[in-house]
Amino acid sequence: MRIRTLIVTLSLLAAAAPAAADARSDAKKQVEFGIEVAQRGLWREAVYRWERAAQIDPTYAAALNNLAIAYEHEGDLEKARIAYEKATGLEPNNASIKQNYELFKEINDRTTRPATQ
Amino acid sequence: MTVRHAQLLSSLAAVFVTVACSSYYEIPIETPIRPKLDVSAFQRVLVAGFVSGGTEDVDGNLETTRLLRSQLRTKSDLRVIDTDVLPLMDVASQSRGAGATPAATAGTPAAIREVKDLEPYEQVFANVEYWKRIGEEYQNPLIVTGTVMFTPLSRSGIVQREQEVFDSVGRRSVVPIRTYMERKGFTLQPRFVFIDGRTGTTLYSENFREEILYNANQTTPALSSYFELMDRLLPNFLSTLSSQKIKGTRVLLQ
């Protein structure tokens, strides 16, 4: 019985691993294309690609980092903040993501600075 | 150096370590910042003048009015009204004469030397009738006014600076040294008040503070220090009225 359970578990894991790898591979293609179009200034297309990448693989921090940058460029600071938070949550030690987020916060702080009436 | 700057520097240093392990692409971005104030109802802006104090070397009222008008002319869609600067200190004194509240009738200092000296004049910005009248006179513009304090500053203490040294074979290096220094400079503390010319009411106000320090033996004219400090806070002032684009670079990851 135990052996059978072990075999079933291993079979399930073996089936799931390529699926996860496929998801990352598909997401990576979207990320790569997004980078290409962003470099040509086509930010809306880049947003679409990186949103797709984040949908395909929600654990892909690079996709969320890039998406945050694109939202920043489009002026959607709230969406950028959420994407940066997800990216830093997934990879808290990634220095590039941290640096991007710090630079974003400097700008975001300016716009949310409380006023006096 | 602020904590944030230190954090940024350490992050930058760490980036160089991690980039070797992953693909990254530096990309320039321009972040559009929406104005803090919706000024779509106004076609014109009147920089009315300021209650100013501090050093007598700079006329904070005149200089600030001139500078803001010229900035708004080129960096906002509003039409800037050219007119004489309003005598706000006189207006404040007059309204105190006819004044109703005990606070308003309190004596004002002969000269404004410190921020607290401005307090008796603050009520002029709440004088709805006065601003409404000004609004009617200039066809209901957005009115920009406020206070400007530009005061001398001196500070002494231990500061770290870099010094060039040469070793026995003439090799140059730069080492940080800590020395006691006396420094002098200025503090600029403006408060910008935005008033609806149609109703005379305050829409928004914001306080700023910037300071600059030089070596005590360095002679820098007060006016150039004033412009240097205003230059730092102008983007923030302008972002209240018009959308701005902030340029920067970010790192895309693969």
Side-chain angles (χ1 to χ4, degrees), chain B residues 196-233:
Chain B
D196 186 336
R198 298 165 301 181
T199 60
T201 54
T202 299
L203 294 171
Y204 180 81
S205 77
E206 191 161 358
N207 296 294
F208 295 92
R209 189 181 191 283
E210 291 286 345
E211 64 175 52
I212 193 162
L213 285 163
Y214 311 98
N215 288 345
N217 54 6
Q218 193 178 332
T219 318
T220 307
L223 193 58
S224 59
S225 297
Y226 164 83
F227 283 116
E228 202 172 335
L229 293 172
M230 276 303 281
D231 209 42
R232 289 187 201 167
L233 55 86

PDB file of all heavy atoms in Angstrom, chain B residues 196-233:
ATOM      1  N   ASP B 196      -8.805  79.876  -4.883  1.00  0.00           N
ATOM      2  CA  ASP B 196      -9.776  79.904  -5.981  1.00  0.00           C
ATOM      3  C   ASP B 196     -10.266  81.346  -6.141  1.00  0.00           C
ATOM      4  O   ASP B 196     -10.958  81.865  -5.255  1.00  0.00           O
ATOM      5  CB  ASP B 196     -10.943  78.952  -5.640  1.00  0.00           C
ATOM      6  CG  ASP B 196     -11.917  78.801  -6.791  1.00  0.00           C
ATOM      7  OD1 ASP B 196     -11.984  79.710  -7.645  1.00  0.00           O
ATOM      8  OD2 ASP B 196     -12.613  77.769  -6.837  1.00  0.00           O
ATOM      9  N   GLY B 197      -9.928  81.976  -7.264  1.00  0.00           N
ATOM     10  CA  GLY B 197     -10.302  83.366  -7.494  1.00  0.00           C
ATOM     11  C   GLY B 197     -11.805  83.573  -7.631  1.00  0.00           C
ATOM     12  O   GLY B 197     -12.294  84.692  -7.531  1.00  0.00           O
ATOM     13  N   ARG B 198     -12.553  82.489  -7.856  1.00  0.00           N
ATOM     14  CA  ARG B 198     -14.010  82.624  -8.007  1.00  0.00           C
ATOM     15  C   ARG B 198     -14.706  82.722  -6.658  1.00  0.00           C
ATOM     16  O   ARG B 198     -15.693  83.404  -6.489  1.00  0.00           O
ATOM     17  CB  ARG B 198     -14.581  81.410  -8.769  1.00  0.00           C
ATOM     18  CG  ARG B 198     -14.033  81.263 -10.178  1.00  0.00           C
ATOM     19  CD  ARG B 198     -14.320  79.902 -10.746  1.00  0.00           C
ATOM     20  NE  ARG B 198     -13.747  78.836  -9.922  1.00  0.00           N
ATOM     21  CZ  ARG B 198     -13.830  77.551 -10.188  1.00  0.00           C
ATOM     22  NH1 ARG B 198     -14.481  77.155 -11.255  1.00  0.00           N
ATOM     23  NH2 ARG B 198     -13.282  76.655  -9.391  1.00  0.00           N
ATOM     24  N   THR B 199     -14.132  82.007  -5.672  1.00  0.00           N
ATOM     25  CA  THR B 199     -14.790  81.957  -4.359  1.00  0.00           C
ATOM     26  C   THR B 199     -13.960  82.611  -3.246  1.00  0.00           C
ATOM     27  O   THR B 199     -14.483  82.900  -2.175  1.00  0.00           O
ATOM     28  CB  THR B 199     -15.033  80.491  -3.956  1.00  0.00           C
ATOM     29  OG1 THR B 199     -13.742  79.840  -3.890  1.00  0.00           O
ATOM     30  CG2 THR B 199     -15.913  79.765  -4.945  1.00  0.00           C
ATOM     31  N   GLY B 200     -12.675  82.803  -3.494  1.00  0.00           N
ATOM     32  CA  GLY B 200     -11.803  83.390  -2.475  1.00  0.00           C
ATOM     33  C   GLY B 200     -11.321  82.388  -1.433  1.00  0.00           C
ATOM     34  O   GLY B 200     -10.644  82.761  -0.466  1.00  0.00           O
ATOM     35  N   THR B 201     -11.645  81.127  -1.630  1.00  0.00           N
ATOM     36  CA  THR B 201     -11.262  80.121  -0.631  1.00  0.00           C
ATOM     37  C   THR B 201      -9.936  79.433  -0.999  1.00  0.00           C
ATOM     38  O   THR B 201      -9.599  79.327  -2.180  1.00  0.00           O
ATOM     39  CB  THR B 201     -12.345  79.019  -0.486  1.00  0.00           C
ATOM     40  OG1 THR B 201     -12.587  78.502  -1.792  1.00  0.00           O
ATOM     41  CG2 THR B 201     -13.618  79.570   0.095  1.00  0.00           C
ATOM     42  N   THR B 202      -9.249  78.971   0.037  1.00  0.00           N
ATOM     43  CA  THR B 202      -7.989  78.263  -0.174  1.00  0.00           C
ATOM     44  C   THR B 202      -8.267  76.856  -0.695  1.00  0.00           C
ATOM     45  O   THR B 202      -9.052  76.113  -0.111  1.00  0.00           O
ATOM     46  CB  THR B 202      -7.189  78.189   1.145  1.00  0.00           C
ATOM     47  OG1 THR B 202      -6.903  79.518   1.555  1.00  0.00           O
ATOM     48  CG2 THR B 202      -5.899  77.413   0.981  1.00  0.00           C
ATOM     49  N   LEU B 203      -7.623  76.516  -1.809  1.00  0.00           N
ATOM     50  CA  LEU B 203      -7.798  75.189  -2.392  1.00  0.00           C
ATOM     51  C   LEU B 203      -6.767  74.212  -1.833  1.00  0.00           C
ATOM     52  O   LEU B 203      -7.039  73.044  -1.602  1.00  0.00           O
ATOM     53  CB  LEU B 203      -7.619  75.251  -3.908  1.00  0.00           C
ATOM     54  CG  LEU B 203      -8.642  76.024  -4.714  1.00  0.00           C
ATOM     55  CD1 LEU B 203      -8.169  76.162  -6.143  1.00  0.00           C
ATOM     56  CD2 LEU B 203      -9.976  75.305  -4.666  1.00  0.00           C
ATOM     57  N   TYR B 204      -5.561  74.754  -1.616  1.00  0.00           N
ATOM     58  CA  TYR B 204      -4.443  73.865  -1.276  1.00  0.00           C
ATOM     59  C   TYR B 204      -3.283  74.714  -0.774  1.00  0.00           C
ATOM     60  O   TYR B 204      -3.121  75.863  -1.211  1.00  0.00           O
ATOM     61  CB  TYR B 204      -4.026  73.134  -2.555  1.00  0.00           C
ATOM     62  CG  TYR B 204      -2.892  72.159  -2.438  1.00  0.00           C
ATOM     63  CD1 TYR B 204      -3.107  70.876  -1.970  1.00  0.00           C
ATOM     64  CD2 TYR B 204      -1.601  72.524  -2.825  1.00  0.00           C
ATOM     65  CE1 TYR B 204      -2.054  69.978  -1.886  1.00  0.00           C
ATOM     66  CE2 TYR B 204      -0.555  71.619  -2.741  1.00  0.00           C
ATOM     67  CZ  TYR B 204      -0.791  70.352  -2.276  1.00  0.00           C
ATOM     68  OH  TYR B 204       0.242  69.467  -2.188  1.00  0.00           O
ATOM     69  N   SER B 205      -2.511  74.181   0.134  1.00  0.00           N
ATOM     70  CA  SER B 205      -1.275  74.888   0.515  1.00  0.00           C
ATOM     71  C   SER B 205      -0.204  73.883   0.875  1.00  0.00           C
ATOM     72  O   SER B 205      -0.508  72.750   1.288  1.00  0.00           O
ATOM     73  CB  SER B 205      -1.547  75.849   1.674  1.00  0.00           C
ATOM     74  OG  SER B 205      -1.647  75.147   2.874  1.00  0.00           O
ATOM     75  N   GLU B 206       1.018  74.277   0.674  1.00  0.00           N
ATOM     76  CA  GLU B 206       2.115  73.338   0.933  1.00  0.00           C
ATOM     77  C   GLU B 206       3.341  74.081   1.455  1.00  0.00           C
ATOM     78  O   GLU B 206       3.672  75.168   0.975  1.00  0.00           O
ATOM     79  CB  GLU B 206       2.457  72.583  -0.358  1.00  0.00           C
ATOM     80  CG  GLU B 206       3.391  71.424  -0.116  1.00  0.00           C
ATOM     81  CD  GLU B 206       3.396  70.400  -1.244  1.00  0.00           C
ATOM     82  OE1 GLU B 206       2.649  70.561  -2.218  1.00  0.00           O
ATOM     83  OE2 GLU B 206       4.168  69.443  -1.140  1.00  0.00           O
ATOM     84  N   ASN B 207       3.984  73.494   2.450  1.00  0.00           N
ATOM     85  CA  ASN B 207       5.189  74.083   3.043  1.00  0.00           C
ATOM     86  C   ASN B 207       6.436  73.375   2.530  1.00  0.00           C
ATOM     87  O   ASN B 207       6.425  72.160   2.342  1.00  0.00           O
ATOM     88  CB  ASN B 207       5.158  73.911   4.567  1.00  0.00           C
ATOM     89  CG  ASN B 207       4.014  74.663   5.181  1.00  0.00           C
ATOM     90  OD1 ASN B 207       3.972  75.882   5.151  1.00  0.00           O
ATOM     91  ND2 ASN B 207       3.052  73.929   5.704  1.00  0.00           N
ATOM     92  N   PHE B 208       7.488  74.143   2.352  1.00  0.00           N
ATOM     93  CA  PHE B 208       8.766  73.569   1.925  1.00  0.00           C
ATOM     94  C   PHE B 208       9.872  74.103   2.819  1.00  0.00           C
ATOM     95  O   PHE B 208       9.741  75.173   3.423  1.00  0.00           O
ATOM     96  CB  PHE B 208       9.088  73.954   0.479  1.00  0.00           C
ATOM     97  CG  PHE B 208       8.136  73.385  -0.521  1.00  0.00           C
ATOM     98  CD1 PHE B 208       7.016  74.097  -0.923  1.00  0.00           C
ATOM     99  CD2 PHE B 208       8.340  72.136  -1.063  1.00  0.00           C
ATOM    100  CE1 PHE B 208       6.132  73.577  -1.843  1.00  0.00           C
ATOM    101  CE2 PHE B 208       7.461  71.612  -1.980  1.00  0.00           C
ATOM    102  CZ  PHE B 208       6.355  72.328  -2.373  1.00  0.00           C
ATOM    103  N   ARG B 209      10.973  73.383   2.872  1.00  0.00           N
ATOM    104  CA  ARG B 209      12.149  73.869   3.600  1.00  0.00           C
ATOM    105  C   ARG B 209      13.399  73.342   2.927  1.00  0.00           C
ATOM    106  O   ARG B 209      13.524  72.136   2.695  1.00  0.00           O
ATOM    107  CB  ARG B 209      12.124  73.392   5.057  1.00  0.00           C
ATOM    108  CG  ARG B 209      13.196  74.032   5.907  1.00  0.00           C
ATOM    109  CD  ARG B 209      13.183  73.522   7.346  1.00  0.00           C
ATOM    110  NE  ARG B 209      14.029  74.329   8.185  1.00  0.00           N
ATOM    111  CZ  ARG B 209      15.351  74.254   8.221  1.00  0.00           C
ATOM    112  NH1 ARG B 209      15.981  73.384   7.446  1.00  0.00           N
ATOM    113  NH2 ARG B 209      16.062  75.035   9.014  1.00  0.00           N
ATOM    114  N   GLU B 210      14.274  74.258   2.559  1.00  0.00           N
ATOM    115  CA  GLU B 210      15.558  73.861   1.960  1.00  0.00           C
ATOM    116  C   GLU B 210      16.652  74.691   2.614  1.00  0.00           C
ATOM    117  O   GLU B 210      16.417  75.847   2.981  1.00  0.00           O
ATOM    118  CB  GLU B 210      15.569  74.153   0.451  1.00  0.00           C
ATOM    119  CG  GLU B 210      14.659  73.279  -0.382  1.00  0.00           C
ATOM    120  CD  GLU B 210      15.153  71.863  -0.565  1.00  0.00           C
ATOM    121  OE1 GLU B 210      16.339  71.593  -0.291  1.00  0.00           O
ATOM    122  OE2 GLU B 210      14.346  71.018  -0.984  1.00  0.00           O
ATOM    123  N   GLU B 211      17.834  74.108   2.770  1.00  0.00           N
ATOM    124  CA  GLU B 211      18.947  74.904   3.300  1.00  0.00           C
ATOM    125  C   GLU B 211      20.236  74.593   2.567  1.00  0.00           C
ATOM    126  O   GLU B 211      20.387  73.531   1.960  1.00  0.00           O
ATOM    127  CB  GLU B 211      19.109  74.681   4.816  1.00  0.00           C
ATOM    128  CG  GLU B 211      19.493  73.273   5.205  1.00  0.00           C
ATOM    129  CD  GLU B 211      19.757  73.128   6.697  1.00  0.00           C
ATOM    130  OE1 GLU B 211      18.891  73.525   7.494  1.00  0.00           O
ATOM    131  OE2 GLU B 211      20.832  72.599   7.048  1.00  0.00           O
ATOM    132  N   ILE B 212      21.144  75.562   2.624  1.00  0.00           N
ATOM    133  CA  ILE B 212      22.438  75.393   1.968  1.00  0.00           C
ATOM    134  C   ILE B 212      23.514  75.962   2.884  1.00  0.00           C
ATOM    135  O   ILE B 212      23.300  76.990   3.544  1.00  0.00           O
ATOM    136  CB  ILE B 212      22.433  76.066   0.573  1.00  0.00           C
ATOM    137  CG1 ILE B 212      23.639  75.622  -0.243  1.00  0.00           C
ATOM    138  CG2 ILE B 212      22.375  77.589   0.656  1.00  0.00           C
ATOM    139  CD1 ILE B 212      23.488  75.871  -1.732  1.00  0.00           C
ATOM    140  N   LEU B 213      24.658  75.256   2.948  1.00  0.00           N
ATOM    141  CA  LEU B 213      25.759  75.710   3.809  1.00  0.00           C
ATOM    142  C   LEU B 213      27.053  75.773   3.014  1.00  0.00           C
ATOM    143  O   LEU B 213      27.309  74.922   2.163  1.00  0.00           O
ATOM    144  CB  LEU B 213      25.932  74.736   4.984  1.00  0.00           C
ATOM    145  CG  LEU B 213      24.883  74.824   6.091  1.00  0.00           C
ATOM    146  CD1 LEU B 213      24.911  73.578   6.953  1.00  0.00           C
ATOM    147  CD2 LEU B 213      25.104  76.069   6.957  1.00  0.00           C
ATOM    148  N   TYR B 214      27.854  76.791   3.287  1.00  0.00           N
ATOM    149  CA  TYR B 214      29.156  76.947   2.637  1.00  0.00           C
ATOM    150  C   TYR B 214      30.220  77.081   3.726  1.00  0.00           C
ATOM    151  O   TYR B 214      29.905  77.370   4.890  1.00  0.00           O
ATOM    152  CB  TYR B 214      29.196  78.235   1.805  1.00  0.00           C
ATOM    153  CG  TYR B 214      28.028  78.428   0.880  1.00  0.00           C
ATOM    154  CD1 TYR B 214      26.951  79.241   1.245  1.00  0.00           C
ATOM    155  CD2 TYR B 214      28.004  77.834  -0.374  1.00  0.00           C
ATOM    156  CE1 TYR B 214      25.881  79.445   0.390  1.00  0.00           C
ATOM    157  CE2 TYR B 214      26.937  78.031  -1.236  1.00  0.00           C
ATOM    158  CZ  TYR B 214      25.874  78.842  -0.845  1.00  0.00           C
ATOM    159  OH  TYR B 214      24.818  79.033  -1.702  1.00  0.00           O
ATOM    160  N   ASN B 215      31.491  76.951   3.305  1.00  0.00           N
ATOM    161  CA  ASN B 215      32.585  77.230   4.238  1.00  0.00           C
ATOM    162  C   ASN B 215      32.457  78.677   4.704  1.00  0.00           C
ATOM    163  O   ASN B 215      32.077  79.550   3.925  1.00  0.00           O
ATOM    164  CB  ASN B 215      33.939  77.071   3.548  1.00  0.00           C
ATOM    165  CG  ASN B 215      34.243  75.620   3.277  1.00  0.00           C
ATOM    166  OD1 ASN B 215      33.603  74.734   3.831  1.00  0.00           O
ATOM    167  ND2 ASN B 215      35.206  75.374   2.407  1.00  0.00           N
ATOM    168  N   ALA B 216      32.818  78.906   5.960  1.00  0.00           N
ATOM    169  CA  ALA B 216      32.640  80.253   6.521  1.00  0.00           C
ATOM    170  C   ALA B 216      33.422  81.309   5.743  1.00  0.00           C
ATOM    171  O   ALA B 216      33.013  82.469   5.670  1.00  0.00           O
ATOM    172  CB  ALA B 216      33.049  80.257   7.981  1.00  0.00           C
ATOM    173  N   ASN B 217      34.574  80.903   5.146  1.00  0.00           N
ATOM    174  CA  ASN B 217      35.388  81.886   4.420  1.00  0.00           C
ATOM    175  C   ASN B 217      34.924  82.113   2.976  1.00  0.00           C
ATOM    176  O   ASN B 217      35.477  82.929   2.264  1.00  0.00           O
ATOM    177  CB  ASN B 217      36.876  81.497   4.451  1.00  0.00           C
ATOM    178  CG  ASN B 217      37.089  80.085   3.933  1.00  0.00           C
ATOM    179  OD1 ASN B 217      36.151  79.455   3.452  1.00  0.00           O
ATOM    180  ND2 ASN B 217      38.318  79.593   4.043  1.00  0.00           N
ATOM    181  N   GLN B 218      33.927  81.343   2.561  1.00  0.00           N
ATOM    182  CA  GLN B 218      33.405  81.477   1.191  1.00  0.00           C
ATOM    183  C   GLN B 218      32.326  82.568   1.155  1.00  0.00           C
ATOM    184  O   GLN B 218      31.439  82.578   2.022  1.00  0.00           O
ATOM    185  CB  GLN B 218      32.798  80.139   0.764  1.00  0.00           C
ATOM    186  CG  GLN B 218      32.499  80.042  -0.710  1.00  0.00           C
ATOM    187  CD  GLN B 218      31.953  78.656  -1.058  1.00  0.00           C
ATOM    188  OE1 GLN B 218      32.259  77.659  -0.389  1.00  0.00           O
ATOM    189  NE2 GLN B 218      31.129  78.597  -2.086  1.00  0.00           N
ATOM    190  N   THR B 219      32.450  83.462   0.196  1.00  0.00           N
ATOM    191  CA  THR B 219      31.445  84.526   0.111  1.00  0.00           C
ATOM    192  C   THR B 219      30.511  84.236  -1.050  1.00  0.00           C
ATOM    193  O   THR B 219      30.915  84.298  -2.215  1.00  0.00           O
ATOM    194  CB  THR B 219      32.125  85.897  -0.120  1.00  0.00           C
ATOM    195  OG1 THR B 219      33.264  85.962   0.718  1.00  0.00           O
ATOM    196  CG2 THR B 219      31.184  87.040   0.190  1.00  0.00           C
ATOM    197  N   THR B 220      29.286  83.874  -0.723  1.00  0.00           N
ATOM    198  CA  THR B 220      28.291  83.611  -1.766  1.00  0.00           C
ATOM    199  C   THR B 220      27.163  84.630  -1.612  1.00  0.00           C
ATOM    200  O   THR B 220      26.606  84.769  -0.521  1.00  0.00           O
ATOM    201  CB  THR B 220      27.722  82.180  -1.622  1.00  0.00           C
ATOM    202  OG1 THR B 220      28.815  81.273  -1.578  1.00  0.00           O
ATOM    203  CG2 THR B 220      26.806  81.812  -2.763  1.00  0.00           C
ATOM    204  N   PRO B 221      26.850  85.341  -2.679  1.00  0.00           N
ATOM    205  CA  PRO B 221      25.774  86.336  -2.565  1.00  0.00           C
ATOM    206  C   PRO B 221      24.451  85.691  -2.150  1.00  0.00           C
ATOM    207  O   PRO B 221      24.128  84.579  -2.600  1.00  0.00           O
ATOM    208  CB  PRO B 221      25.671  86.923  -3.972  1.00  0.00           C
ATOM    209  CG  PRO B 221      26.930  86.548  -4.654  1.00  0.00           C
ATOM    210  CD  PRO B 221      27.414  85.283  -4.030  1.00  0.00           C
ATOM    211  N   ALA B 222      23.736  86.390  -1.316  1.00  0.00           N
ATOM    212  CA  ALA B 222      22.456  85.861  -0.813  1.00  0.00           C
ATOM    213  C   ALA B 222      21.509  85.532  -1.964  1.00  0.00           C
ATOM    214  O   ALA B 222      20.818  84.505  -1.934  1.00  0.00           O
ATOM    215  CB  ALA B 222      21.826  86.878   0.130  1.00  0.00           C
ATOM    216  N   LEU B 223      21.500  86.381  -3.004  1.00  0.00           N
ATOM    217  CA  LEU B 223      20.556  86.167  -4.106  1.00  0.00           C
ATOM    218  C   LEU B 223      20.848  84.871  -4.864  1.00  0.00           C
ATOM    219  O   LEU B 223      19.926  84.146  -5.238  1.00  0.00           O
ATOM    220  CB  LEU B 223      20.594  87.370  -5.067  1.00  0.00           C
ATOM    221  CG  LEU B 223      19.464  87.437  -6.096  1.00  0.00           C
ATOM    222  CD1 LEU B 223      18.093  87.454  -5.429  1.00  0.00           C
ATOM    223  CD2 LEU B 223      19.623  88.654  -6.994  1.00  0.00           C
ATOM    224  N   SER B 224      22.149  84.563  -5.043  1.00  0.00           N
ATOM    225  CA  SER B 224      22.432  83.312  -5.767  1.00  0.00           C
ATOM    226  C   SER B 224      22.065  82.105  -4.908  1.00  0.00           C
ATOM    227  O   SER B 224      21.619  81.078  -5.428  1.00  0.00           O
ATOM    228  CB  SER B 224      23.874  83.248  -6.265  1.00  0.00           C
ATOM    229  OG  SER B 224      24.756  83.340  -5.215  1.00  0.00           O
ATOM    230  N   SER B 225      22.229  82.219  -3.583  1.00  0.00           N
ATOM    231  CA  SER B 225      21.793  81.122  -2.702  1.00  0.00           C
ATOM    232  C   SER B 225      20.278  80.961  -2.781  1.00  0.00           C
ATOM    233  O   SER B 225      19.759  79.843  -2.806  1.00  0.00           O
ATOM    234  CB  SER B 225      22.172  81.411  -1.253  1.00  0.00           C
ATOM    235  OG  SER B 225      23.547  81.478  -1.124  1.00  0.00           O
ATOM    236  N   TYR B 226      19.586  82.096  -2.816  1.00  0.00           N
ATOM    237  CA  TYR B 226      18.120  82.055  -2.903  1.00  0.00           C
ATOM    238  C   TYR B 226      17.693  81.290  -4.164  1.00  0.00           C
ATOM    239  O   TYR B 226      16.852  80.394  -4.103  1.00  0.00           O
ATOM    240  CB  TYR B 226      17.554  83.480  -2.918  1.00  0.00           C
ATOM    241  CG  TYR B 226      16.130  83.553  -3.382  1.00  0.00           C
ATOM    242  CD1 TYR B 226      15.073  83.302  -2.501  1.00  0.00           C
ATOM    243  CD2 TYR B 226      15.831  83.822  -4.715  1.00  0.00           C
ATOM    244  CE1 TYR B 226      13.770  83.330  -2.946  1.00  0.00           C
ATOM    245  CE2 TYR B 226      14.525  83.847  -5.159  1.00  0.00           C
ATOM    246  CZ  TYR B 226      13.504  83.600  -4.280  1.00  0.00           C
ATOM    247  OH  TYR B 226      12.207  83.602  -4.729  1.00  0.00           O
ATOM    248  N   PHE B 227      18.319  81.615  -5.307  1.00  0.00           N
ATOM    249  CA  PHE B 227      17.940  80.949  -6.560  1.00  0.00           C
ATOM    250  C   PHE B 227      18.320  79.464  -6.538  1.00  0.00           C
ATOM    251  O   PHE B 227      17.599  78.627  -7.079  1.00  0.00           O
ATOM    252  CB  PHE B 227      18.559  81.650  -7.769  1.00  0.00           C
ATOM    253  CG  PHE B 227      17.841  82.919  -8.121  1.00  0.00           C
ATOM    254  CD1 PHE B 227      18.474  84.142  -8.042  1.00  0.00           C
ATOM    255  CD2 PHE B 227      16.513  82.890  -8.508  1.00  0.00           C
ATOM    256  CE1 PHE B 227      17.796  85.319  -8.357  1.00  0.00           C
ATOM    257  CE2 PHE B 227      15.818  84.056  -8.819  1.00  0.00           C
ATOM    258  CZ  PHE B 227      16.469  85.276  -8.740  1.00  0.00           C
ATOM    259  N   GLU B 228      19.440  79.162  -5.914  1.00  0.00           N
ATOM    260  CA  GLU B 228      19.854  77.757  -5.824  1.00  0.00           C
ATOM    261  C   GLU B 228      18.824  76.951  -5.029  1.00  0.00           C
ATOM    262  O   GLU B 228      18.464  75.833  -5.410  1.00  0.00           O
ATOM    263  CB  GLU B 228      21.229  77.682  -5.143  1.00  0.00           C
ATOM    264  CG  GLU B 228      21.955  76.412  -5.482  1.00  0.00           C
ATOM    265  CD  GLU B 228      23.386  76.392  -4.980  1.00  0.00           C
ATOM    266  OE1 GLU B 228      23.981  77.470  -4.794  1.00  0.00           O
ATOM    267  OE2 GLU B 228      23.899  75.280  -4.766  1.00  0.00           O
ATOM    268  N   LEU B 229      18.353  77.533  -3.942  1.00  0.00           N
ATOM    269  CA  LEU B 229      17.373  76.821  -3.108  1.00  0.00           C
ATOM    270  C   LEU B 229      16.007  76.749  -3.795  1.00  0.00           C
ATOM    271  O   LEU B 229      15.333  75.719  -3.730  1.00  0.00           O
ATOM    272  CB  LEU B 229      17.256  77.510  -1.743  1.00  0.00           C
ATOM    273  CG  LEU B 229      18.510  77.409  -0.868  1.00  0.00           C
ATOM    274  CD1 LEU B 229      18.377  78.272   0.385  1.00  0.00           C
ATOM    275  CD2 LEU B 229      18.787  75.970  -0.463  1.00  0.00           C
ATOM    276  N   MET B 230      15.621  77.816  -4.460  1.00  0.00           N
ATOM    277  CA  MET B 230      14.335  77.799  -5.172  1.00  0.00           C
ATOM    278  C   MET B 230      14.365  76.762  -6.291  1.00  0.00           C
ATOM    279  O   MET B 230      13.369  76.094  -6.556  1.00  0.00           O
ATOM    280  CB  MET B 230      14.030  79.181  -5.766  1.00  0.00           C
ATOM    281  CG  MET B 230      13.383  80.150  -4.804  1.00  0.00           C
ATOM    282  SD  MET B 230      11.835  79.581  -4.072  1.00  0.00           S
ATOM    283  CE  MET B 230      10.677  79.882  -5.374  1.00  0.00           C
ATOM    284  N   ASP B 231      15.526  76.648  -6.935  1.00  0.00           N
ATOM    285  CA  ASP B 231      15.692  75.687  -8.015  1.00  0.00           C
ATOM    286  C   ASP B 231      15.387  74.257  -7.548  1.00  0.00           C
ATOM    287  O   ASP B 231      14.859  73.450  -8.299  1.00  0.00           O
ATOM    288  CB  ASP B 231      17.138  75.775  -8.511  1.00  0.00           C
ATOM    289  CG  ASP B 231      17.234  75.399  -9.965  1.00  0.00           C
ATOM    290  OD1 ASP B 231      16.356  75.831 -10.720  1.00  0.00           O
ATOM    291  OD2 ASP B 231      18.155  74.650 -10.327  1.00  0.00           O
ATOM    292  N   ARG B 232      15.722  73.978  -6.283  1.00  0.00           N
ATOM    293  CA  ARG B 232      15.484  72.634  -5.743  1.00  0.00           C
ATOM    294  C   ARG B 232      14.001  72.343  -5.552  1.00  0.00           C
ATOM    295  O   ARG B 232      13.558  71.218  -5.725  1.00  0.00           O
ATOM    296  CB  ARG B 232      16.163  72.503  -4.366  1.00  0.00           C
ATOM    297  CG  ARG B 232      17.666  72.440  -4.431  1.00  0.00           C
ATOM    298  CD  ARG B 232      18.174  72.136  -3.044  1.00  0.00           C
ATOM    299  NE  ARG B 232      19.552  72.511  -2.861  1.00  0.00           N
ATOM    300  CZ  ARG B 232      20.149  72.569  -1.681  1.00  0.00           C
ATOM    301  NH1 ARG B 232      19.481  72.292  -0.583  1.00  0.00           N
ATOM    302  NH2 ARG B 232      21.418  72.902  -1.582  1.00  0.00           N
ATOM    303  N   LEU B 233      13.256  73.369  -5.151  1.00  0.00           N
ATOM    304  CA  LEU B 233      11.857  73.070  -4.836  1.00  0.00           C
ATOM    305  C   LEU B 233      10.867  73.424  -5.942  1.00  0.00           C
ATOM    306  O   LEU B 233       9.685  73.098  -5.835  1.00  0.00           O
ATOM    307  CB  LEU B 233      11.452  73.703  -3.497  1.00  0.00           C
ATOM    308  CG  LEU B 233      11.650  75.192  -3.276  1.00  0.00           C
ATOM    309  CD1 LEU B 233      10.479  75.960  -3.791  1.00  0.00           C
ATOM    310  CD2 LEU B 233      11.852  75.455  -1.800  1.00  0.00           C
TER     311      LEU B 233
END
